[in-house]
């Protein structure tokens, strides 16, 4: 069981030592009171049989993740530019400077080491900056490839590859987000000049939030309302909805904004400090006909006619892939939050056992208290739950790729419809997990050494972006209600597996004299209980909407519940299936631990909404009463294995950037080092006397003037 | 109804205009698309009959709050040092510089305008910095006054008043927080030298988190384990537990650390940027006998004997007052969060009504969607709920002050015991409210103009400080279990009102054939339902602990539930009492609105834990099923009055510092102004090309070197 020590990069281990040349003082020789963090974690690791490497391969085997992480990590650790230890002291403008410097360096490292795209992404992941290049690599390049026609691709691709064209994607506006049809920016075709006129008629038409645009990009994909004359001679214009245009926005030499364009960075935000989210307005800015990306929609420059081919629903499949990636990312966020919480929860001790008569007994690890366990261990289980659904989505996508490319989405259709609800639930769980863990860490959770500050500030964008979490649950609920309606009608063959499941439920369970499911003795019954509850809630919503004709908006809260119930059902089902599939060749030891985590996730989720399960006749009242006791027992079962379970996620110290969560447990040495040796504020001596406006000792009123100039 | 416009300071209204001298561009003439924010809010304010000024006096009448707020606000608004519009761009070290400059200026303004302590506190509240002087004014001065003997008070008070002595309070250590008895710092009496020797034997003994200590203070109250020789001749030492000492820590002229002391700032944190939370270690640092604060405990310097008078439980009463202040503060935090959310929720529009056939209908205000209402309106109701319990606690304290000063706490005892649970629940509700509101604001909630960033970052300390929210629920539960045990024993007269209520419940309700309470038709039954449920949970916990002798730690989750149920019951009871007390002279209109808010708070709280109420036989299953519909109806009732209800809290724009929450509704103008005219990052032109390590255009590798030097 000593393998844990050998397999995790211990990049931070030397950082608690004094920097060479630093002044010596009496604190250099002090040690923390025992038991020390390293001793505590060694004991934790020795008491458990969790097979770390087997579990790590099981979780992170896809796409050579572990070897890639090690390879790229070794490069970044040796680059001073990627040292994170003092970056929290930087101003927001400096944080952009640093972000740009790192983005450039990463790209040069990619050239130098022959990294592929996945390696480069790994570099961004480990660097942990929201990179000023991010939207260039993501949306900009993808949009040119998918929306550009052959000639456009041929024109732009070499310029992008050379690094000359740096692009962003400008869709969202100051007054318009989720409702894309409502955007105000216009692209009006001028048949005489043979140009489009890009124009922002109002302030709310300003492009807003668009990453990479504020300071970095020299080009943009601009999504604007296409306006065409009714005919070549007409002066009457017709709206054709939002379309993408590629537009140069800054001078290629000076990088100054082009005349007729107001573009800049929107300023400090909750997170995303290194990213230049931008605003942009156009004042009758003219662009050529070739600017309109024309793989799908075209405008005939002479007749002004508009043509649009039957929509090749390629987006359908790739959206599923994007959603799967969001879930796979969410699980790593949770694993990271929980890794810190579990390790520090063991090292940190507080109070003796109240029932212990030995007044000299050591204080307990806080992770021994159920009040700490209940906040952390269900989240550990949830990271695994998210993993199996992310895997299932990716496997399905990859396994049916050939069909997808031919436009046959029959296998993916259900999952795609459900993916909105999954995005909503999973990013919500991950976003909440960070703050829940942080609060369980006591005072040090609030400190800069927690490792939670930037993690939280950046991740809190996720419940809003890529579809607001509350809004998009309507999509899943709408689909489920349609399928239930089809099942009630019951004509012909079922449309898909959800329709089929609804029919089965209507036939066998709905208003039938059936017993609740025996969830405490049979894991499969747990899965069935979640499914039965989801069907029940779907049916209720179907009745309200389709039978009683209730207004859609009055049902929104109920619809969200339907979506979440279905998403929870999918998570539980995929978790169960992964543990019981024939292909799974995991060791019985591992299977045992994963089964405990499965039950904890399922029971914890069920307990939070117990009444739903009762009303659906899915679980008995007596079994529901039993859940809190079961949950506490499952947590006690997991407790001794918690450290090795989080070790298995192999989050490197370099990424954690947390004194509390260090692999080696040197929590207090690291906290002290950050305060005493890495804090620039301690290099200045201040004048604290209120009657003087001297701020820094010996500098008169100079410092006050400097600060005032920044306000 | 035009009074709303007149009574709220409109300090931000001019801030969207161009600064004089700024370059002119085409964006200057752009207006947002209609309906504009000012029009929307005017319509909202016109459609409601909420009597704003009556409600404002009702909520904020105590202690001349409103007039004081206006008076101090006028002063701060005219001081450039208190301009908040660009402060988010500052580095953390600069944020301390600014904080210190503001703290000094506030104190000078107090001298200049003859402000009393309350005025000065109002200045800190409006400035909204966690001030580097904060602990000096709060803990330091109070501790000298309460723990110092007459001679010590006479010695230190003039120096403090002159501003020469600036102090902090050093109790918490790197390895020791809630468990004060576990601190490691020692004060060992050396009878030969007639001095105490302060010493930090380990790294975890370092003082930690102590505000004002890192850079500002020149003195500290140091809490250390008192070690005395067994007798004057003995070399054997005896621990006497933690005691406070006053210690000079920095040179009075140079402000440099004194030899033998390592003291500094702990570095960046989640919030509290302007505050210098510190660390401090002692290396056999000698202090005189007079350093030990000796109002209660004394050491005879010659015989080394220790004396401690019977503890005069003064702390008992004042703690209740502190807890009441925390709740009163929490309500203002919630009011602030909700003010932003309600105003922007009206201005922001998204999607047409799905059931509306008119395709040109305007988009709906997001506050019209139940999915937005459910996140914001129950929080609005909660701010009122907190208000009445804070008031009740302060009234009780003030009404019985004469008794308290004589050491008679009979009236306060119950409330004091319950105040732990209330602190836990109320700060939890307030802390969560900020993020809940933020997420309901879409993308702009993540932006710097939201007004939520600093609010959240600072307030998130509260669930941990002054007693960790999860830990201290044990104190309330422990008390409740004792009272239930006394009631079961039933001997003699009841100890207090809780004992009496337990006896009544045992006699009339426990295991009796009683009906659930008719909560839907009678508000008093709602109160009774919360009380019955709290008694039921208390009784269950009593049985587990006292009858079945379950271990304390295994019951922690149940104990937290008991504490929260009791706290909710107190909140509901005080809210009801305030509306039905004979003294209340509010208008029927106001009473109507407050009753709606009361029901919303009660039903929303009940619905979240519905099963508890069923198990306690407090509410019928059918009534619980009805709650979601009732909640939605109550929210629809409140919706048209939401803007005037938040206006009544009179949070000035200067404090909100929020583009989204501006009183005048000029949301988009303000967001654009912050981005386009107040963002220093837009003054720099960058070189985005990855092959070059030039960061700022035309400056070669200079900028890269500057940034690297900060890492």
């Amino acid at each position: 069981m000593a393998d844990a020590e050998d397999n995790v990069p211990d990049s931070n281990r030397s950082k608690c030592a004094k920097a060479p040349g630093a002044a010596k003082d009496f604190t250099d020789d002090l040690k923390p009171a025992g038991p020390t963090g390293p001793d505590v974690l060694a004991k934790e690791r020795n008491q458990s049989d969790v097979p770390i490497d087997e579990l790590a391969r099981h979780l992170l085997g896809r796409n050579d993740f572990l070897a890639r992480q090690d390879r790229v990590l070794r490069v970044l650790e040796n680059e001073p530019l990627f040292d994170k230890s003092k970056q929290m002291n930087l101003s927001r403008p400096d944080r952009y400077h640093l972000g740009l410097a790192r983005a450039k360096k990463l790209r040069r490292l990619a050239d130098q080491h022959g990294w592929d795209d996945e390696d480069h992404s790994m570099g961004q992941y480990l660097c942990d900056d929201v990179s000023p290049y991010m939207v260039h690599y993501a949306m900009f390049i993808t949009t040119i490839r998918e929306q550009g026609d052959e000639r456009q691709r041929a024109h732009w691709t070499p310029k992008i590859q050379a690094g000359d064209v740096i692009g962003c994607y400008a869709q969202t506006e100051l007054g318009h987000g989720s409702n894309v049809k409502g955007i105000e920016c216009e692209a009006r075709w001028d048949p005489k000049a043979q140009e489009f006129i890009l124009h922002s008629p109002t302030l709310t038409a300003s492009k807003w939030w668009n990453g990479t645009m504020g300071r970095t990009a020299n080009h943009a994909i601009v999504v604007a309302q296409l306006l065409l004359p009714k005919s070549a001679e007409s002066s009457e214009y017709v709206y054709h909805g939002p379309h993408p245009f590629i537009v140069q926005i800054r001078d290629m030499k000076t990088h100054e904004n082009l005349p007729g364009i107001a573009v800049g960075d929107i300023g400090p935000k909750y997170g995303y400090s290194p990213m230049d989210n931008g605003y942009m307005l156009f004042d009758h800015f003219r662009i050529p006909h070739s600017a309109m990306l024309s793989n799908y929609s075209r405008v005939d420059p002479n007749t002004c006619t508009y043509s649009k081919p039957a929509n090749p629903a390629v987006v359908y499949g790739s959206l599923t892939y994007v959603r799967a990636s969001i879930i796979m990312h969410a699980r790593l966020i949770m694993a990271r939050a929980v890794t810190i919480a579990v390790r520090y929860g063991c090292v940190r001790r507080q109070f003796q056992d109240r029932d212990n008569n030995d007044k000299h007994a050591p204080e307990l690890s806080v992770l021994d208290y159920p009040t700490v366990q209940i906040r952390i261990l269900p989240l550990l289980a949830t990271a695994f739950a998210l993993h199996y659904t992310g895997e299932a989505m990716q496997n399905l996508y990859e396994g049916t790729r050939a069909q997808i490319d031919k436009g046959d989405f029959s296998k993916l259709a259900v999952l795609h419809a459900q993916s909105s609800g999954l995005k909503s639930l999973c990013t919500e769980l991950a976003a909440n997990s960070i703050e829940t863990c942080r609060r369980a860490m006591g005072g040090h959770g609030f400190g800069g050494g927690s490792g939670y500050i930037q993690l939280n500030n950046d991740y809190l964008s996720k419940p809003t972006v890529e579809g607001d979490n509350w809004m998009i649950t309507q999509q899943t609920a709408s689909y489920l209600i349609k399928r239930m309606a089809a099942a009630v009608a019951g004509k012909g063959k079922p449309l898909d597996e959800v329709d089929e499941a609804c029919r089965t439920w209507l036939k066998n369970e709905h208003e039938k004299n059936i017993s609740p499911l025996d969830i405490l003795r049979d894991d499969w019954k747990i899965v069935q209980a979640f499914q039965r509850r989801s069907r029940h809630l779907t049916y209720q919503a179907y009745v309200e909407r389709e039978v009683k004709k209730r207004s859609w908006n009055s049902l929104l809260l109920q619809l969200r519940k339907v979506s979440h119930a279905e998403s929870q059902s999918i998570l539980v089902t995929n978790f169960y299936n992964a543990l019981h599939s024939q292909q799974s060749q995991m060791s019985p030891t591992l299977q045992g631990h994963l089964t405990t985590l499965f039950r904890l996730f399922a029971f914890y989720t069920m307990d939070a909404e117990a009444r739903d399960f009762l009303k659906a006749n899915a679980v008995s009242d007596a079994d529901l009463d039993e859940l809190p006791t079961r949950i506490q027992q499952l947590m006690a079962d997991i407790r001794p294995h918690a450290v090795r379970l989080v070790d298995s996620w192999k989050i490197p110290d370099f990424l954690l950037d947390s004194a509390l969560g260090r692999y080696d447990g040197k929590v207090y040495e690291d906290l002290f080092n950050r305060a005493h040796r890495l804090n620039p504020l301690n290099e200045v001596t201040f004048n604290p006397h209120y009657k003087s406006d001297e701020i820094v000792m010996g500098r008169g009123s100079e410092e006050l003037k400097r600060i005032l100039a920044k306000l």
Side-chain angles (χ1 to χ4, degrees), chain A:
Chain A
M1 275 171 228
D3 64 332
E5 288 273 349
D6 306 331
N7 283 306
V8 173
D10 49 0
S11 49
N12 269 358
R13 223 170 285 186
S14 60
K15 279 217 187 135
C16 301
K18 274 169 66 77
K24 196 170 159 49
D25 67 41
F26 71 87
T27 66
D28 295 345
D29 304 320
L30 291 176
K31 305 256 177 292
T36 69
D39 288 349
V40 169
L41 291 187
K43 189 164 158 259
E44 292 283 342
R45 288 177 177 125
N46 277 326
Q47 79 192 3
S48 160
D49 62 357
V50 168
I52 291 178
D53 286 331
E54 182 191 353
L55 181 49
R57 281 191 304 272
H58 175 75
L59 293 168
L60 305 162
R62 179 185 290 269
N63 209 3
D64 209 20
F65 185 94
L66 285 171
R68 194 188 308 279
Q69 175 169 281
D70 283 350
R71 197 170 63 240
V72 175
L73 182 62
R74 273 196 300 274
V75 174
L76 295 198
E77 280 179 334
N78 291 319
E79 293 288 345
L81 194 57
F82 295 94
D83 185 346
K84 302 173 187 177
S85 47
K86 291 166 85 174
Q87 70 185 21
M88 258 187 290
N89 287 295
L90 295 184
S91 70
R92 197 264 151 168
D94 271 1
R95 202 62 189 77
Y96 171 78
H97 285 69
L98 175 60
L100 182 60
R102 283 177 174 170
K104 290 178 171 209
K105 182 75 183 180
L106 263 185
R107 179 71 198 272
R108 292 202 299 269
L109 287 172
D111 285 359
Q112 188 183 330
H113 295 276
W115 286 350
D116 61 17
D117 286 354
E118 299 268 359
D119 292 330
H120 187 242
S121 296
M122 177 61 79
Q124 292 184 309
Y125 166 72
L126 293 171
C127 166
D128 206 28
D129 271 7
V130 179
S131 162
Y133 282 173
M134 186 179 76
V135 178
H136 172 74
Y137 288 124
M139 294 292 286
F140 182 73
I141 292 178
T142 314
T143 306
I144 301 277
R145 194 172 58 224
E146 292 182 357
Q147 308 271 327
D149 63 21
E150 213 166 307
R151 221 175 44 180
Q152 289 169 324
R153 284 197 295 271
H155 177 77
W156 293 106
T157 307
K159 295 175 196 288
I160 291 167
Q161 280 170 346
D164 293 331
V165 164
I166 300 159
C168 58
Y169 185 87
Q171 176 175 299
T172 301
E173 296 180 352
L174 182 53
H176 312 276
S178 295
N179 185 8
V180 180
K181 284 181 191 160
I183 63 168
E184 296 182 72
C185 182
E186 301 173 348
R188 185 182 297 262
W189 179 244
D190 176 350
K192 284 191 194 118
Q194 295 276 298
E195 288 169 338
F196 291 102
I197 305 166
L198 274 185
H199 187 60
S200 313
T202 66
L203 202 60
T204 38
S206 175
K207 294 297 169 188
W208 201 269
W209 269 121
N210 328 99
T212 305
M213 190 170 83
R215 303 275 80 198
T216 314
N218 48 32
H219 283 70
I221 308 288
V222 176
V223 179
Q225 299 282 5
L226 176 63
L227 279 164
L228 296 178
K230 243 186 169 170
S231 69
E233 292 75 33
S234 173
S235 63
E236 198 183 330
Y237 275 81
V238 180
Y239 272 97
H240 289 273
H243 283 75
F245 300 82
I246 179 161
V247 184
Q248 184 185 331
I249 60 172
R250 287 188 171 97
D251 185 273
M252 295 302 283
K253 280 234 168 87
T254 66
H255 203 61
E256 297 286 354
N257 302 352
L258 293 183
I261 298 183
V263 54
D265 173 274
I266 61 168
K269 296 145 294 189
Y270 209 90
Y272 281 44
S273 299
M275 166 61 96
D276 54 321
N277 296 88
Y279 66 89
M280 181 160 60
L281 294 121
F282 300 97
D283 181 20
H284 301 94
F285 187 81
R286 289 177 172 267
I287 52 175
H289 180 262
S290 62
M292 180 170 155
L293 294 180
S294 301
N295 198 27
Y296 301 133
S297 307
R298 287 155 210 250
V299 171
D300 185 304
N302 301 314
T303 64
C304 301
T305 51
Y306 173 77
S307 63
K308 192 175 178 142
N311 190 9
V314 176
V315 177
Y316 202 41
S318 71
L319 244 178
T320 303
Y321 194 79
V322 168
R323 292 262 163 90
S325 304
I326 289 174
I327 295 170
M328 292 302 251
H329 178 242
R331 91 199 201 283
L332 284 178
I333 294 291
M334 296 191 79
R336 186 168 155 188
V338 171
T339 296
I340 297 169
V342 163
R343 288 182 186 155
Y344 180 52
C346 294
V347 173
R348 178 183 172 216
R349 287 165 180 266
Q350 197 170 59
F351 291 108
Q352 295 159 352
D353 186 341
R354 184 166 163 155
D355 291 330
N356 190 333
N357 290 324
D358 175 6
K359 291 301 160 206
H360 297 284
E363 294 187 302
L364 294 176
S365 283
V366 298
L367 196 59
D368 292 329
Y369 292 105
T371 34
V372 173
Q373 291 175 0
I374 196 73
R375 290 183 273 175
I376 295 169
L377 300 182
L379 297 178
L380 173 60
T382 306
F384 285 85
L386 264 53
H387 170 76
Y388 294 112
T389 284
E391 281 277 317
M393 287 171 79
Q394 288 197 344
N395 288 341
L396 194 56
Y397 179 77
E398 286 169 9
T400 55
R401 194 163 213 155
Q403 282 170 273
I404 294 164
D405 287 345
K406 285 183 210 137
D408 172 5
F409 301 103
S410 52
K411 291 245 169 82
L412 268 179
V414 184
L415 193 56
H416 173 73
Q418 295 170 333
S419 72
S420 298
L422 282 167
K423 184 271 171 185
S424 172
L425 179 64
C426 295
T427 57
E428 202 79 9
L429 289 168
N432 295 344
S433 74
I434 303 166
E435 175 64 8
T436 300
C437 286
R438 195 193 65 71
R439 281 195 211 169
M441 302 294 93
H444 293 315
F446 195 72
S450 68
Y452 288 125
I453 297 180
Q454 188 182 312
L455 181 67
N456 197 45
N457 290 351
D458 287 346
Y459 195 78
L460 284 191
S461 63
K462 293 290 185 278
T464 307
V465 298
E466 313 267 1
D468 178 89
N469 276 1
W470 281 69
M471 205 191 61
I472 59 174
T473 55
Q474 293 177 63
Q475 297 166 14
T476 301
S478 172
Y479 162 83
L480 290 170
I481 290 174
K482 276 186 202 139
R483 286 296 174 274
M484 184 58 82
V488 170
K491 290 177 188 155
K493 275 193 190 171
L495 298 165
D496 56 27
E497 61 184 73
V498 172
D499 183 350
E500 195 170 346
C502 289
R503 292 186 192 208
T504 308
W505 177 81
L506 285 166
K507 191 176 152 208
N508 299 333
E509 301 178 54
H510 176 51
E511 294 183 345
K512 297 289 180 299
N513 186 17
I514 48 163
S515 308
L517 295 149
D518 183 10
I519 57 160
L520 299 181
R521 268 153 297 266
D522 181 350
D523 288 348
W524 175 241
K525 303 287 184 196
I526 297 174
V527 177
Q528 289 182 300
F530 273 90
Q531 293 175 347
R532 186 180 288 177
R533 172 245 200 169
S534 179
R535 300 288 161 259
H536 177 76
L537 288 172
T538 299
Y539 184 80
Q540 286 186 317
Y542 151 79
V543 170
E544 295 293 325
R545 179 66 179 168
E546 300 294 325
V547 181
K548 299 189 187 164
K549 304 290 180 194
R550 289 265 310 275
S551 79
W552 185 258
N553 284 345
S554 72
L555 292 171
L556 287 177
L557 294 175
Q558 202 173 335
L559 298 174
R560 179 165 183 266
K561 213 169 157 145
V562 167
S563 172
H564 274 5
E566 177 71 3
S567 301
Q568 289 168 347
S569 173
I570 293 169
L571 288 174
V572 168
T573 305
N574 284 327
F575 202 156
Y576 180 90
N577 286 344
L579 298 185
H580 296 84
S581 79
Q582 304 243 316
Q583 300 99 312
S584 159
Q585 302 206 328
M586 64 182 86
S587 65
T589 308
L590 180 54
Q591 182 138 15
H593 290 299
L594 291 175
T595 301
T596 310
L597 290 166
F598 164 78
R599 288 179 192 148
L600 177 59
F601 172 73
F603 286 163
Y604 180 82
T605 305
M606 187 180 279
D607 182 50
E609 285 152 81
R611 240 172 137 250
D612 283 357
F613 288 85
L614 190 69
K615 295 277 165 184
N617 200 20
V619 182
S620 72
D621 197 45
D623 282 359
L624 290 172
D625 283 345
E626 179 67 15
L627 286 182
T629 307
R630 287 292 174 119
I631 290 167
Q632 206 162 320
Q633 184 55 53
L634 288 163
M635 294 196 301
D637 293 345
I638 288 167
R639 166 64 189 90
H641 307 288
V643 169
R644 286 178 75 96
L645 284 170
V646 299
D647 284 352
S648 305
W649 284 95
K650 301 274 184 187
I651 315 275
D653 280 1
F654 181 81
L655 181 59
L656 285 179
D657 189 25
S658 166
L660 308 188
R662 293 170 64 94
Y663 181 83
D664 67 7
K666 291 186 178 172
V667 170
Y668 298 114
E669 295 92 325
D670 194 346
L671 285 173
F672 186 71
N673 191 48
R674 287 169 189 247
H676 191 54
R677 301 187 192 106
L678 297 173
N679 183 356
L681 194 61
N682 289 331
E683 292 159 15
V684 183
T685 303
F686 293 87
N687 178 343
H689 298 285
Y690 86 90
K691 285 173 186 162
S692 162
D693 67 8
E694 179 179 79
I695 308 300
V696 173
M697 198 57 102
R699 297 185 63 186
S701 58
E702 189 186 326
E703 194 67 14
L704 183 62
K705 283 183 201 146
R706 187 183 69 82
I707 289 289
L708 273 168
K710 293 191 177 187
L711 294 183

